[in-house]
Amino acid sequence: MPTALRVHHLAVVVDDMDRALSFWRDALGLELAGIRDVPEQASQVAFLPAGEAEIELVRPTSGDSGVARYLAKRGPGMHHICMSVDDLSGTLERLAAQGVRLINPEPMASADGRRYAFVHPESTGGVLLELYQA
Amino acid sequence: MPTALRVHHLAVVVDDMDRALSFWRDALGLELAGIRDVPEQASQVAFLPAGEAEIELVRPTSGDSGVARYLAKRGPGMHHICMSVDDLSGTLERLAAQGVRLINPEPMASADGRRYAFVHPESTGGVLLELYQA
């Protein structure tokens, strides 16, 4: 098994950040490591480490983003799982060769340079899965 | 922050275990630590460790269980997040005192003796959350 293959974060779409933080931070006791705007995703994201993984609370900041449409259609809740991998490009090639449906067949790069790609829920058993270059 | 507060497992409801394993085990490369029937949940569960957390694939084995109804209503996908806590009873008391809606106000015990309780999605931002006594 690739050594880096582990749960990196869980993204939860919320409509009310203060209310979500009142549970995950204030009631449950997770630490809020930071909260910041992510303009390229039209979202505000709160980062709450939980062991080696992290809970990310994602609140859309405009009505026409993918996350906003998800929230409008399905309501608040789990958006995706992210797992880190050793070799993102190699993993994507291997998955494609096995017939896995990839939303991003090639790695994408976020504004801060991290590389990621999404796997379609059709191939995972209904879970939107992000793979992240460790 | 309580030291044990971390992601313990992610439960994914699937309708076809072989197809789900062909992704999570064969294509992605997770190890299948075990697969077993859980009669009290009318399910078959596959356990795939991923770092300190675990992906659990849950397939209903009868049509009238909670998991089967979930699958029929929402299709395959994320069912719940489980986080481990140091002091389950104390955590439940503290959550209740802060107005959090608990599905199990007192710890439940599984057939193998582990103690757990579920928090209602209404209080978490739409996520069904299991808390597990570490």
Side-chain angles (χ1 to χ4, degrees):
Chain A
M1 186 173 81
T3 52
L5 190 53
R6 60 175 183 82
V7 177
H8 183 271
H9 68 258
L10 309 177
V12 178
V13 179
V14 303
D15 51 1
D16 183 333
M17 185 61 84
D18 288 340
R19 184 151 188 268
L21 287 173
S22 78
F23 175 74
W24 293 94
R25 178 190 57 191
D26 304 336
L28 190 60
L30 288 176
E31 178 195 354
L32 176 62
I35 183 166
R36 66 166 189 266
D37 285 318
V38 183
E40 71 267 29
Q41 291 175 30
S43 296
Q44 181 190 47
V45 182
F47 300 88
L48 300 103
E52 67 178 21
E54 192 165 62
I55 306 290
E56 295 187 5
L57 305 174
V58 181
R59 183 183 66 81
T61 50
S62 91
D64 61 355
S65 65
V67 174
R69 288 191 296 272
Y70 185 96
L71 179 62
K73 184 176 174 186
R74 307 191 47 152
M78 275 296 302
H79 185 260
H80 68 266
I81 298 174
C82 177
M83 298 189 70
S84 57
V85 297
D86 278 321
D87 172 10
L88 179 58
S89 296
T91 300
L92 295 175
E93 282 177 26
R94 198 179 70 237
L95 294 178
Q98 297 192 44
V100 170
R101 184 172 168 193
L102 301 173
I103 294 175
N104 308 117
E106 303 287 335
M108 308 287 285
S110 63
D112 60 359
R114 74 182 186 86
R115 296 168 68 235
Y116 67 93
F118 280 90
V119 181
H120 197 282
E122 184 183 276
S123 289
T124 66
V127 175
L128 179 60
L129 178 67
E130 180 181 5
L131 299 175
Y132 166 77
Q133 173 66 52
Chain B
M1 186 172 82
T3 52
L5 190 53
R6 60 175 184 82
V7 177
H8 183 271
H9 67 259
L10 308 177
V12 179
V13 180
V14 303
D15 51 1
D16 182 333
M17 185 62 84
D18 288 339
R19 185 151 188 268
L21 286 174
S22 78
F23 175 74
W24 292 94
R25 178 190 57 191
D26 304 337
L28 190 59
L30 289 176
E31 179 195 352
L32 176 63
I35 184 165
R36 67 166 188 265
D37 285 318
V38 183
E40 70 267 29
Q41 291 174 30
S43 297
Q44 181 190 47
V45 182
F47 300 88
L48 300 104
E52 68 179 19
E54 193 165 63
I55 306 290
E56 294 187 7
L57 306 175
V58 182
R59 183 183 66 80
T61 50
S62 91
D64 60 355
S65 65
V67 174
R69 287 191 296 273
Y70 185 96
L71 179 63
K73 184 176 174 187
R74 307 193 45 152
M78 275 296 302
H79 185 260
H80 68 266
I81 298 174
C82 177
M83 297 188 71
S84 57
V85 298
D86 278 321
D87 173 11
L88 179 58
S89 296
T91 299
L92 294 175
E93 282 177 26
R94 197 178 73 238
L95 294 178
Q98 296 192 45
V100 170
R101 183 171 168 192
L102 301 172
I103 294 175
N104 308 117
E106 303 287 335
M108 308 287 286
S110 64
D112 60 359
R114 74 181 187 88
R115 295 168 68 235
Y116 67 93
F118 280 90
V119 181
H120 198 282
E122 184 183 275
S123 289
T124 65
V127 175
L128 179 59
L129 178 68
E130 179 181 7
L131 299 175
Y132 165 77
Q133 174 66 53

